[in-house]
Structure formats: C-alpha cells, structure tokens
Amino acid sequence: MKDFIAYIRENIRWLAVILCIALIASATMLLNEIPFVEIAYGLLLCFFITIVALTVGYARHYRSFRQLEQMQENIVVESDVMKTPEYMYERQYQNCIRILANENNRIRNEMLNRQQDMTEYYSMWVHQVKTPIAALKLLIDEDMAAYVEAENIENGDMGVINENQKRNELFRIEEYIGMALQYTRLGAQTNDFVIERILLDEVIKNSIHKYAKQFIYKKLSLNYESKDIMAVTDKKWLGFVIDQLLSNAIKYTKQGSVTIQAEQITDVSGQFANIIIEDTGIGISAEDLPRICEKGYTGYNGHADKHSTGIGLYLCKEILDKLGHRILITSEIGRGTRVEISNICL
C-alpha cells in the first residue's frame, strides 16, 4: 500500500494534467450544447483508461523496484542483472552505476595487487634476514671452538656464559622471524596446507630437539614418553603450533619442568588424538584466560615479559581452526599452565 501511495505521489502532476484537460473539454462541450449524457460517457471512458494506465504503470514500477532491491542486497552490477532501461534517465543512471562499479573493481584489484606485493616482499625479507643470522651463529660456533682450543682459563666461565646468551638471543631472533613468516603465510589468500597421515611422535620430537638448548639454558627438565600414534593433520603447521606452545612454556617457567603427552581418545564421534603440554610456570590469571588467543592481547604475562607480542597463541588458534583441531588452555597462577590440542583425527 505504501508503494502504491508513493507511486501516485510521483505521478500526481500527470493526473492533475489529465483532470484539467477533462474539465476543459467538458466545459467546451457544454458551451456547444452537447448533451450531458454524451459528455459523462466520454468522461467515464477517460477515467477507465486512466485507471488501466495507472494499474499497468504501477505493475511495471513494482517489478522494477523489487529488482532494484534484489540488486541492492547482492551488490552485483552486471548487464544481464540490471533491468532494461525504459527511459533516458534510467539509462544514464545505469551508466553511472557501471562507471562507479568499474572504478570500484579497479581500486580493489589495485589494493589486492599491492597487498600481494607487500606479502611477497615481506616473505623475501624474512628469508634474507635468516641468512646473516645463520652466518652469525656459525661465527659464534667457530669462536667457541677456537676459545676451547686456546684453553683460555681466565674468565673462561664468563666467556661461556656470554656465548650462551648470544646463542639464546639469536635463537629468539630466529623464533620471531619464523613467527612473522608464518603470520604472513596464514594471512595470505592461499595457505600451503598439506593434510596427510603422520606420526605425531616425529613432530613432537622435532620441536623438542629445536628447543633442547633452551631447556638446558634455563635448567628445566622435560618429560615425554614416545607413543606410536598416527593422525591426519598438517605436519609443518602442527609443528609450528607445538613450537609456540613449547616456547611459551619455557619462557614463563623459571624452574621446574615441562611435560608433553600424546594420547588416543575414543568417543561416540570417533577416534581422536590429543597433545597435552603442561608446565610449572607462573600461570595465567583467570581474567586473562578468555582473551589470551586474541590478536595482540598479552595480559598480565605481557607486562612481565616486555618482549611479548600477543601473536603466538593467536596464530596457534587460527592454525588449529583451519586444521579442524581445537585448543583448550587451563591455568592457575603460581601452579602452571596446561594446553591441550584435541580433535586430531586418527
């Protein structure tokens, strides 16, 4: 009803013109002594034609209006979707819409190209930076070998400590660069996920070997029992998640141990594998637990560690979601943290 009233208002001027013409014609015929019955018959015929014209016009108006509403919902501007223009102004409006749509597509494609260029450059930069880091590590190893051969007794312990600190800092640089590279890959439109059946023990041992020196440096004990559990997942991305969880466990554990468990679960929905990483570290407050996987959120531990970026757990959550796995984190201040990766199909 509202549409019909709006349509009448839009055409009120034409209706007024028709009414004026009918009044003038009737007055002229009355002055020429034409019988009123014939005049009334003519007016009735004109009224009927006007009603038919209004009905047909409103039907076309209604179809066009509904088609425009559908276009607005889908935001699609194509020649075969837009209605055939009936009037000159409609054709001009459609031309303006097409010009705006083409300009919008051009800007969007330009932005996508820029983003792709930035991603490619960023990835190349990360790979380039890793080369001098590897070279620096090699130089430190050579210096350490020369230092031992020289049997320099004076301040020897301090020299070893300094070299261990350098090695630890280099490891952190490599870790941050690797995280940045994975962040770039995860944000790309296409991810190199390779879903296959793998041995979880192999992935876990690779992460343990990677962080072995960190355990020694911080004098932390590691508890892990190998189990032959085959699961369907992505080896590289799952390994990155375990790396991040181990890194956090080492970072926030001053003394004590880190325990890793792999277990097989059977429930009504099928068979799955879980990976559990527990530490005896400082723990996470109850207020921070609901938000620790948010991008950039560091919480209380972020204040304790000024180098924290709040990206690690965010990446873990995003990767596990894409793999179809789940992550559950429970913690208690002063008692440690427990992270469980679940729903890994066997």
Side-chain angles (χ1 to χ4, degrees), residues 4 16 18 32 44 115 117 135 144-145 152 162 166 171 176 185 197 199 213 230 236 285 298 305 312 325 334 342:
F4 181 76
I18 294 173
N32 287 281
L44 183 62
Q115 183 179 3
D117 293 340
M144 285 288 292
N152 189 349
N162 290 338
K166 292 178 183 179
F171 182 84
Y176 291 150
R185 290 174 177 171
R197 192 172 178 82
L199 182 63
K213 292 181 180 180
M230 301 293 295
K236 182 184 69 175
S285 65
T298 57
D305 179 18
H325 308 332
S342 60

PDB file of all heavy atoms in Angstrom, residues 4 16 18 32 44 115 117 135 144-145 152 162 166 171 176 185 197 199 213 230 236 285 298 305 312 325 334 342:
ATOM      1  N   PHE A   4       2.159   1.898  -3.435  1.00  0.00           N
ATOM      2  CA  PHE A   4       1.163   2.448  -4.352  1.00  0.00           C
ATOM      3  C   PHE A   4       0.931   3.935  -4.091  1.00  0.00           C
ATOM      4  O   PHE A   4       0.830   4.740  -5.028  1.00  0.00           O
ATOM      5  CB  PHE A   4      -0.154   1.671  -4.204  1.00  0.00           C
ATOM      6  CG  PHE A   4      -1.236   2.154  -5.123  1.00  0.00           C
ATOM      7  CD1 PHE A   4      -1.212   1.819  -6.460  1.00  0.00           C
ATOM      8  CD2 PHE A   4      -2.272   2.950  -4.654  1.00  0.00           C
ATOM      9  CE1 PHE A   4      -2.214   2.263  -7.326  1.00  0.00           C
ATOM     10  CE2 PHE A   4      -3.270   3.405  -5.502  1.00  0.00           C
ATOM     11  CZ  PHE A   4      -3.243   3.066  -6.836  1.00  0.00           C
ATOM     12  N   ALA A  16      -3.054  15.396 -12.455  1.00  0.00           N
ATOM     13  CA  ALA A  16      -3.622  16.749 -12.432  1.00  0.00           C
ATOM     14  C   ALA A  16      -3.804  17.293 -13.837  1.00  0.00           C
ATOM     15  O   ALA A  16      -4.818  17.962 -14.147  1.00  0.00           O
ATOM     16  CB  ALA A  16      -2.716  17.673 -11.609  1.00  0.00           C
ATOM     17  N   ILE A  18      -4.315  15.490 -16.583  1.00  0.00           N
ATOM     18  CA  ILE A  18      -5.444  14.769 -17.181  1.00  0.00           C
ATOM     19  C   ILE A  18      -6.769  15.328 -16.666  1.00  0.00           C
ATOM     20  O   ILE A  18      -7.740  15.523 -17.439  1.00  0.00           O
ATOM     21  CB  ILE A  18      -5.317  13.262 -16.871  1.00  0.00           C
ATOM     22  CG1 ILE A  18      -4.098  12.681 -17.580  1.00  0.00           C
ATOM     23  CG2 ILE A  18      -6.585  12.520 -17.281  1.00  0.00           C
ATOM     24  CD1 ILE A  18      -3.802  11.238 -17.205  1.00  0.00           C
ATOM     25  N   ASN A  32     -21.032  24.229 -26.172  1.00  0.00           N
ATOM     26  CA  ASN A  32     -21.516  23.915 -27.524  1.00  0.00           C
ATOM     27  C   ASN A  32     -22.799  23.090 -27.497  1.00  0.00           C
ATOM     28  O   ASN A  32     -23.197  22.516 -28.512  1.00  0.00           O
ATOM     29  CB  ASN A  32     -20.437  23.157 -28.305  1.00  0.00           C
ATOM     30  CG  ASN A  32     -19.290  24.061 -28.727  1.00  0.00           C
ATOM     31  OD1 ASN A  32     -19.406  24.810 -29.700  1.00  0.00           O
ATOM     32  ND2 ASN A  32     -18.192  24.042 -27.965  1.00  0.00           N
ATOM     33  N   LEU A  44     -16.368   9.076 -18.377  1.00  0.00           N
ATOM     34  CA  LEU A  44     -16.253   7.740 -17.793  1.00  0.00           C
ATOM     35  C   LEU A  44     -15.237   6.894 -18.553  1.00  0.00           C
ATOM     36  O   LEU A  44     -14.428   6.155 -17.952  1.00  0.00           O
ATOM     37  CB  LEU A  44     -17.616   7.060 -17.793  1.00  0.00           C
ATOM     38  CG  LEU A  44     -17.677   5.663 -17.133  1.00  0.00           C
ATOM     39  CD1 LEU A  44     -17.297   5.768 -15.658  1.00  0.00           C
ATOM     40  CD2 LEU A  44     -19.075   5.073 -17.283  1.00  0.00           C
ATOM     41  N   GLN A 115      48.767  -5.492  -1.833  1.00  0.00           N
ATOM     42  CA  GLN A 115      48.875  -6.395  -0.693  1.00  0.00           C
ATOM     43  C   GLN A 115      49.710  -7.620  -1.041  1.00  0.00           C
ATOM     44  O   GLN A 115      50.525  -8.081  -0.233  1.00  0.00           O
ATOM     45  CB  GLN A 115      47.484  -6.814  -0.230  1.00  0.00           C
ATOM     46  CG  GLN A 115      47.483  -7.698   1.006  1.00  0.00           C
ATOM     47  CD  GLN A 115      46.087  -8.071   1.448  1.00  0.00           C
ATOM     48  OE1 GLN A 115      45.115  -7.717   0.788  1.00  0.00           O
ATOM     49  NE2 GLN A 115      45.977  -8.781   2.548  1.00  0.00           N
ATOM     50  N   ASP A 117      52.038  -7.752  -3.360  1.00  0.00           N
ATOM     51  CA  ASP A 117      53.429  -7.304  -3.468  1.00  0.00           C
ATOM     52  C   ASP A 117      54.058  -7.157  -2.091  1.00  0.00           C
ATOM     53  O   ASP A 117      55.223  -7.541  -1.881  1.00  0.00           O
ATOM     54  CB  ASP A 117      53.494  -5.971  -4.222  1.00  0.00           C
ATOM     55  CG  ASP A 117      53.102  -6.118  -5.679  1.00  0.00           C
ATOM     56  OD1 ASP A 117      53.152  -7.253  -6.191  1.00  0.00           O
ATOM     57  OD2 ASP A 117      52.737  -5.101  -6.298  1.00  0.00           O
ATOM     58  N   ALA A 135      74.716 -17.160   9.459  1.00  0.00           N
ATOM     59  CA  ALA A 135      76.159 -16.898   9.369  1.00  0.00           C
ATOM     60  C   ALA A 135      76.727 -16.474  10.715  1.00  0.00           C
ATOM     61  O   ALA A 135      77.827 -16.903  11.103  1.00  0.00           O
ATOM     62  CB  ALA A 135      76.412 -15.819   8.318  1.00  0.00           C
ATOM     63  N   MET A 144      83.756 -20.244  19.564  1.00  0.00           N
ATOM     64  CA  MET A 144      83.715 -21.151  20.708  1.00  0.00           C
ATOM     65  C   MET A 144      84.752 -22.258  20.551  1.00  0.00           C
ATOM     66  O   MET A 144      85.454 -22.631  21.504  1.00  0.00           O
ATOM     67  CB  MET A 144      82.315 -21.762  20.841  1.00  0.00           C
ATOM     68  CG  MET A 144      81.276 -20.801  21.396  1.00  0.00           C
ATOM     69  SD  MET A 144      81.512 -20.469  23.155  1.00  0.00           S
ATOM     70  CE  MET A 144      81.118 -22.065  23.849  1.00  0.00           C
ATOM     71  N   ALA A 145      84.896 -22.797  19.330  1.00  0.00           N
ATOM     72  CA  ALA A 145      85.878 -23.854  19.094  1.00  0.00           C
ATOM     73  C   ALA A 145      87.297 -23.327  19.297  1.00  0.00           C
ATOM     74  O   ALA A 145      88.143 -23.985  19.916  1.00  0.00           O
ATOM     75  CB  ALA A 145      85.705 -24.411  17.683  1.00  0.00           C
ATOM     76  N   ASN A 152      91.858 -21.033  27.252  1.00  0.00           N
ATOM     77  CA  ASN A 152      91.913 -19.772  27.992  1.00  0.00           C
ATOM     78  C   ASN A 152      91.219 -19.978  29.325  1.00  0.00           C
ATOM     79  O   ASN A 152      90.005 -20.082  29.394  1.00  0.00           O
ATOM     80  CB  ASN A 152      91.229 -18.661  27.191  1.00  0.00           C
ATOM     81  CG  ASN A 152      91.456 -17.296  27.804  1.00  0.00           C
ATOM     82  OD1 ASN A 152      91.938 -17.186  28.930  1.00  0.00           O
ATOM     83  ND2 ASN A 152      91.134 -16.277  27.045  1.00  0.00           N
ATOM     84  N   ASN A 162      78.579 -15.709  28.271  1.00  0.00           N
ATOM     85  CA  ASN A 162      78.270 -14.694  27.259  1.00  0.00           C
ATOM     86  C   ASN A 162      77.912 -15.334  25.930  1.00  0.00           C
ATOM     87  O   ASN A 162      76.993 -14.888  25.236  1.00  0.00           O
ATOM     88  CB  ASN A 162      79.469 -13.762  27.088  1.00  0.00           C
ATOM     89  CG  ASN A 162      79.674 -12.862  28.300  1.00  0.00           C
ATOM     90  OD1 ASN A 162      78.737 -12.631  29.066  1.00  0.00           O
ATOM     91  ND2 ASN A 162      80.890 -12.368  28.485  1.00  0.00           N
ATOM     92  N   LYS A 166      74.454 -15.037  23.842  1.00  0.00           N
ATOM     93  CA  LYS A 166      74.375 -14.658  22.423  1.00  0.00           C
ATOM     94  C   LYS A 166      73.582 -15.691  21.637  1.00  0.00           C
ATOM     95  O   LYS A 166      72.742 -15.354  20.804  1.00  0.00           O
ATOM     96  CB  LYS A 166      75.780 -14.520  21.840  1.00  0.00           C
ATOM     97  CG  LYS A 166      76.579 -13.351  22.379  1.00  0.00           C
ATOM     98  CD  LYS A 166      77.972 -13.340  21.767  1.00  0.00           C
ATOM     99  CE  LYS A 166      78.812 -12.206  22.347  1.00  0.00           C
ATOM    100  NZ  LYS A 166      80.187 -12.197  21.784  1.00  0.00           N
ATOM    101  N   PHE A 171      68.639 -17.350  18.939  1.00  0.00           N
ATOM    102  CA  PHE A 171      67.512 -18.277  18.842  1.00  0.00           C
ATOM    103  C   PHE A 171      66.188 -17.523  18.907  1.00  0.00           C
ATOM    104  O   PHE A 171      65.249 -17.830  18.161  1.00  0.00           O
ATOM    105  CB  PHE A 171      67.594 -19.303  19.969  1.00  0.00           C
ATOM    106  CG  PHE A 171      66.498 -20.334  19.909  1.00  0.00           C
ATOM    107  CD1 PHE A 171      66.625 -21.454  19.104  1.00  0.00           C
ATOM    108  CD2 PHE A 171      65.332 -20.182  20.657  1.00  0.00           C
ATOM    109  CE1 PHE A 171      65.618 -22.400  19.044  1.00  0.00           C
ATOM    110  CE2 PHE A 171      64.323 -21.126  20.597  1.00  0.00           C
ATOM    111  CZ  PHE A 171      64.471 -22.240  19.787  1.00  0.00           C
ATOM    112  N   TYR A 176      61.275 -15.263  16.353  1.00  0.00           N
ATOM    113  CA  TYR A 176      60.405 -14.154  15.977  1.00  0.00           C
ATOM    114  C   TYR A 176      60.255 -14.045  14.466  1.00  0.00           C
ATOM    115  O   TYR A 176      59.165 -13.760  13.953  1.00  0.00           O
ATOM    116  CB  TYR A 176      60.953 -12.851  16.545  1.00  0.00           C
ATOM    117  CG  TYR A 176      60.856 -12.750  18.048  1.00  0.00           C
ATOM    118  CD1 TYR A 176      61.789 -12.015  18.774  1.00  0.00           C
ATOM    119  CD2 TYR A 176      59.845 -13.392  18.756  1.00  0.00           C
ATOM    120  CE1 TYR A 176      61.713 -11.923  20.157  1.00  0.00           C
ATOM    121  CE2 TYR A 176      59.762 -13.312  20.130  1.00  0.00           C
ATOM    122  CZ  TYR A 176      60.698 -12.577  20.826  1.00  0.00           C
ATOM    123  OH  TYR A 176      60.622 -12.485  22.193  1.00  0.00           O
ATOM    124  N   ARG A 185      52.144 -16.017   5.919  1.00  0.00           N
ATOM    125  CA  ARG A 185      51.559 -17.124   5.155  1.00  0.00           C
ATOM    126  C   ARG A 185      50.122 -17.391   5.564  1.00  0.00           C
ATOM    127  O   ARG A 185      49.274 -17.690   4.718  1.00  0.00           O
ATOM    128  CB  ARG A 185      52.396 -18.387   5.369  1.00  0.00           C
ATOM    129  CG  ARG A 185      53.762 -18.349   4.707  1.00  0.00           C
ATOM    130  CD  ARG A 185      54.579 -19.565   5.087  1.00  0.00           C
ATOM    131  NE  ARG A 185      55.868 -19.578   4.409  1.00  0.00           N
ATOM    132  CZ  ARG A 185      56.842 -20.432   4.681  1.00  0.00           C
ATOM    133  NH1 ARG A 185      56.668 -21.351   5.621  1.00  0.00           N
ATOM    134  NH2 ARG A 185      57.979 -20.380   4.027  1.00  0.00           N
ATOM    135  N   ARG A 197      48.543 -38.327   6.645  1.00  0.00           N
ATOM    136  CA  ARG A 197      48.642 -39.169   7.843  1.00  0.00           C
ATOM    137  C   ARG A 197      50.096 -39.176   8.306  1.00  0.00           C
ATOM    138  O   ARG A 197      50.997 -39.595   7.565  1.00  0.00           O
ATOM    139  CB  ARG A 197      48.163 -40.587   7.524  1.00  0.00           C
ATOM    140  CG  ARG A 197      47.955 -41.458   8.749  1.00  0.00           C
ATOM    141  CD  ARG A 197      47.296 -42.775   8.339  1.00  0.00           C
ATOM    142  NE  ARG A 197      47.120 -43.658   9.482  1.00  0.00           N
ATOM    143  CZ  ARG A 197      46.130 -43.596  10.345  1.00  0.00           C
ATOM    144  NH1 ARG A 197      45.211 -42.653  10.194  1.00  0.00           N
ATOM    145  NH2 ARG A 197      46.031 -44.438  11.347  1.00  0.00           N
ATOM    146  N   LEU A 199      53.074 -39.374  11.829  1.00  0.00           N
ATOM    147  CA  LEU A 199      53.370 -39.885  13.161  1.00  0.00           C
ATOM    148  C   LEU A 199      53.566 -38.693  14.093  1.00  0.00           C
ATOM    149  O   LEU A 199      54.483 -37.884  13.910  1.00  0.00           O
ATOM    150  CB  LEU A 199      54.637 -40.749  13.130  1.00  0.00           C
ATOM    151  CG  LEU A 199      55.057 -41.410  14.445  1.00  0.00           C
ATOM    152  CD1 LEU A 199      53.985 -42.398  14.917  1.00  0.00           C
ATOM    153  CD2 LEU A 199      56.399 -42.107  14.279  1.00  0.00           C
ATOM    154  N   LYS A 213      68.286 -26.845  23.619  1.00  0.00           N
ATOM    155  CA  LYS A 213      69.260 -25.944  24.224  1.00  0.00           C
ATOM    156  C   LYS A 213      68.589 -24.939  25.162  1.00  0.00           C
ATOM    157  O   LYS A 213      69.205 -24.491  26.134  1.00  0.00           O
ATOM    158  CB  LYS A 213      70.043 -25.217  23.137  1.00  0.00           C
ATOM    159  CG  LYS A 213      70.949 -26.141  22.332  1.00  0.00           C
ATOM    160  CD  LYS A 213      71.733 -25.370  21.280  1.00  0.00           C
ATOM    161  CE  LYS A 213      72.636 -26.306  20.476  1.00  0.00           C
ATOM    162  NZ  LYS A 213      73.399 -25.578  19.443  1.00  0.00           N
ATOM    163  N   MET A 230      49.391 -42.450  14.964  1.00  0.00           N
ATOM    164  CA  MET A 230      49.266 -41.870  13.630  1.00  0.00           C
ATOM    165  C   MET A 230      48.008 -40.995  13.601  1.00  0.00           C
ATOM    166  O   MET A 230      46.952 -41.388  14.104  1.00  0.00           O
ATOM    167  CB  MET A 230      49.168 -42.958  12.568  1.00  0.00           C
ATOM    168  CG  MET A 230      50.363 -43.898  12.522  1.00  0.00           C
ATOM    169  SD  MET A 230      51.883 -43.069  11.985  1.00  0.00           S
ATOM    170  CE  MET A 230      51.447 -42.624  10.291  1.00  0.00           C
ATOM    171  N   LYS A 236      53.772 -29.603   9.075  1.00  0.00           N
ATOM    172  CA  LYS A 236      54.502 -28.346   9.263  1.00  0.00           C
ATOM    173  C   LYS A 236      53.752 -27.382  10.168  1.00  0.00           C
ATOM    174  O   LYS A 236      54.315 -26.827  11.118  1.00  0.00           O
ATOM    175  CB  LYS A 236      54.744 -27.681   7.896  1.00  0.00           C
ATOM    176  CG  LYS A 236      55.541 -26.391   7.985  1.00  0.00           C
ATOM    177  CD  LYS A 236      55.665 -25.744   6.630  1.00  0.00           C
ATOM    178  CE  LYS A 236      54.319 -25.214   6.152  1.00  0.00           C
ATOM    179  NZ  LYS A 236      54.419 -24.471   4.877  1.00  0.00           N
ATOM    180  N   SER A 285      46.316 -15.705  34.749  1.00  0.00           N
ATOM    181  CA  SER A 285      45.208 -15.320  35.618  1.00  0.00           C
ATOM    182  C   SER A 285      43.872 -15.693  34.987  1.00  0.00           C
ATOM    183  O   SER A 285      43.745 -15.786  33.759  1.00  0.00           O
ATOM    184  CB  SER A 285      45.253 -13.818  35.891  1.00  0.00           C
ATOM    185  OG  SER A 285      45.027 -13.095  34.696  1.00  0.00           O
ATOM    186  N   THR A 298      48.195  -9.467  25.456  1.00  0.00           N
ATOM    187  CA  THR A 298      49.291 -10.029  26.245  1.00  0.00           C
ATOM    188  C   THR A 298      48.904 -10.290  27.690  1.00  0.00           C
ATOM    189  O   THR A 298      49.435 -11.193  28.325  1.00  0.00           O
ATOM    190  CB  THR A 298      50.508  -9.087  26.217  1.00  0.00           C
ATOM    191  OG1 THR A 298      50.122  -7.794  26.712  1.00  0.00           O
ATOM    192  CG2 THR A 298      51.035  -8.952  24.795  1.00  0.00           C
ATOM    193  N   ASP A 305      56.754  -9.911  30.673  1.00  0.00           N
ATOM    194  CA  ASP A 305      57.698 -10.084  29.571  1.00  0.00           C
ATOM    195  C   ASP A 305      57.459  -8.986  28.556  1.00  0.00           C
ATOM    196  O   ASP A 305      56.506  -9.026  27.781  1.00  0.00           O
ATOM    197  CB  ASP A 305      57.509 -11.469  28.926  1.00  0.00           C
ATOM    198  CG  ASP A 305      58.453 -11.686  27.756  1.00  0.00           C
ATOM    199  OD1 ASP A 305      59.454 -10.946  27.662  1.00  0.00           O
ATOM    200  OD2 ASP A 305      58.186 -12.586  26.944  1.00  0.00           O
ATOM    201  N   GLY A 312      51.629 -15.173  19.283  1.00  0.00           N
ATOM    202  CA  GLY A 312      51.860 -16.616  19.284  1.00  0.00           C
ATOM    203  C   GLY A 312      50.603 -17.443  19.456  1.00  0.00           C
ATOM    204  O   GLY A 312      50.283 -18.299  18.616  1.00  0.00           O
ATOM    205  N   HIS A 325      41.196 -28.629  14.297  1.00  0.00           N
ATOM    206  CA  HIS A 325      41.528 -29.054  15.657  1.00  0.00           C
ATOM    207  C   HIS A 325      41.033 -28.010  16.666  1.00  0.00           C
ATOM    208  O   HIS A 325      40.579 -26.930  16.285  1.00  0.00           O
ATOM    209  CB  HIS A 325      43.041 -29.247  15.812  1.00  0.00           C
ATOM    210  CG  HIS A 325      43.648 -30.136  14.767  1.00  0.00           C
ATOM    211  ND1 HIS A 325      42.933 -31.137  14.137  1.00  0.00           N
ATOM    212  CD2 HIS A 325      44.908 -30.171  14.227  1.00  0.00           C
ATOM    213  CE1 HIS A 325      43.715 -31.762  13.274  1.00  0.00           C
ATOM    214  NE2 HIS A 325      44.921 -31.184  13.302  1.00  0.00           N
ATOM    215  N   GLY A 334      50.793 -19.304  39.642  1.00  0.00           N
ATOM    216  CA  GLY A 334      51.770 -19.929  40.519  1.00  0.00           C
ATOM    217  C   GLY A 334      51.832 -21.435  40.432  1.00  0.00           C
ATOM    218  O   GLY A 334      52.724 -22.057  41.027  1.00  0.00           O
ATOM    219  N   SER A 342      43.281 -30.863  20.781  1.00  0.00           N
ATOM    220  CA  SER A 342      42.389 -32.013  20.661  1.00  0.00           C
ATOM    221  C   SER A 342      41.748 -32.070  19.279  1.00  0.00           C
ATOM    222  O   SER A 342      41.977 -31.206  18.429  1.00  0.00           O
ATOM    223  CB  SER A 342      41.302 -31.951  21.746  1.00  0.00           C
ATOM    224  OG  SER A 342      40.529 -30.780  21.613  1.00  0.00           O
TER     225      SER A 342
END
